[in-house]
């Protein structure tokens, strides 16, 4: 097996030479293999396979000039060697080091210059440690925070500038704060609020400008509270309201079973 790649080139573009490799002694034992498991190959899959077979050699490569080697070595190297890698110029190296280090060492990566590192760091932190990321300039970082932060702390994100972030907040926020988002300027956010509000609190949303929200209200509000929804300009909203109103009227007419 050779990963369907015929060439065996190192990261500098030179042909890989097993005879001159410092690990030529392990070739005979089958712990490395040209075009399959090789630390000198420029293909990450082959480097990764080399360290999977030889994790005890990873410590030697955390300072290698090729970033792919450093990044993959960080998955296996001794933890005490990883802290300097948090300042590595390559984001992949920083992340692979961070995922294995205690939380106290990785907090500084909350302000990493690369968004992908910050997004991934969110998955390693909890609540209070995420607070400094609430104002991250990248909306997807904030979106990741909104998905992970404890619901009782989401009050700080009620007015995020990005609608998709507020929509996630609306899905997860404590029920007592739902009405504070009922007038959000984005219909998608208001729809999430309408879906979660108890039927008895939907009255204020009957006149919403978006038909989807009025339809949600018409589907769940008490029949006696349907009001003008039975004459709504949107056909689906109107039909839903009329069906529920007529069904309620029929039940009242028939009386208790």
């Amino acid at each position: 097996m050779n990963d369907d790649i015929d060439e065996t080139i190192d990261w500098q573009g030179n042909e890989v030479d097993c005879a001159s490799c410092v690990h030529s002694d392990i070739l005979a034992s089958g712990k490395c293999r040209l075009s399959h498991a090789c630390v000198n190959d420029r293909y990450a899959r082959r480097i990764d396979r080399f360290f999977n077979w030889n994790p005890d050699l990873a410590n030697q490569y955390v300072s290698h000039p090729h970033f792919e080697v450093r990044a993959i070595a960080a998955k296996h190297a001794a933890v005490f060697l990883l802290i300097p890698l948090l300042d590595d110029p390559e984001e992949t190296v920083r992340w692979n080091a961070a995922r294995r280090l205690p939380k106290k060492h990785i907090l500084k990566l909350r302000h990493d210059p690369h968004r992908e590192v910050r997004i991934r760091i969110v998955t390693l932190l909890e609540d209070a440690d995420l607070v400094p990321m609430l104002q991250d300039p990248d909306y997807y970082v904030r979106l990741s925070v909104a998905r992970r932060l404890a619901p009782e702390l989401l009050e700080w994100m009620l007015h995020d500038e990005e609608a998709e972030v507020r929509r996630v907040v609306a899905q997860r926020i404590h029920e007592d704060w739902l009405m504070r988002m009922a007038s959000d300027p984005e219909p998608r956010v208001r729809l999430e609020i309408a879906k979660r509000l108890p039927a008895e609190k939907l009255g204020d949303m009957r006149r919403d400008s978006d038909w989807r929200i009025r339809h949600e209200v018409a589907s769940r509000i008490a029949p006696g509270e349907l009001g003008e929804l039975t004459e709504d300009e949107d056909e689906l909203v109107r039909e839903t309201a009329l069906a529920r109103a007529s069904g309620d009227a029929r039940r009242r007419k028939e009386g208790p079973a």
Side-chain angles (χ1 to χ4, degrees), residues 206-218:
R206 284 178 301 193
R207 299 179 182 85
D208 195 279
S209 60
D210 192 283
W211 73 269
R212 295 170 299 176
I213 296 161
R214 299 197 306 277
H215 181 261
E216 179 68 23
V217 174

Side-chain angles (χ1 to χ4, degrees), residues 158-172:
L158 291 180
H159 304 294
D160 190 276
E161 64 183 35
E162 175 59 44
E164 184 61 19
V165 173
R166 300 197 308 276
R167 189 181 73 84
V168 171
V169 171
Q171 292 174 337
R172 303 187 61 239

Side-chain angles (χ1 to χ4, degrees), residues 116-149:
E116 289 299 328
V117 174
R118 301 198 306 277
I119 290 168
R120 291 177 174 182
I121 284 297
V122 170
T123 67
L124 301 179
L125 301 178
E126 302 287 345
D127 298 340
D129 292 322
L130 290 171
V131 172
M133 304 184 79
L134 296 176
Q135 302 300 320
D136 192 279
D138 189 283
Y139 97 92
Y140 201 86
V141 175
R142 301 196 308 277
L143 184 63
S144 301
V145 173
R147 288 169 174 163
R148 186 163 178 82
L149 201 63

Side-chain angles (χ1 to χ4, degrees), residues 250-257:
R250 186 169 57 253
R251 283 192 297 273
R252 284 189 279 108
K253 182 177 180 180
E254 294 174 351

Side-chain angles (χ1 to χ4, degrees), residues 12 23 31 40 62 74 86 108 135 137-138 140 183 186 189 222 251:
Q12 293 179 308
H23 300 302
K31 299 191 74 175
N40 296 314
V62 294
L86 297 179
K108 70 176 185 177
Q135 302 300 320
D138 189 283
Y140 201 86
S183 59
E186 172 57 49
V189 176
R251 283 192 297 273

Side-chain angles (χ1 to χ4, degrees), residues 95-112:
W95 163 242
N96 279 345
R99 65 199 301 189
R100 295 185 57 214
L101 283 166
K103 182 179 68 176
K104 65 180 181 179
H105 294 297
I106 68 174
L107 292 177
K108 70 176 185 177
L109 293 187
R110 293 177 298 187
H111 305 290
D112 192 273

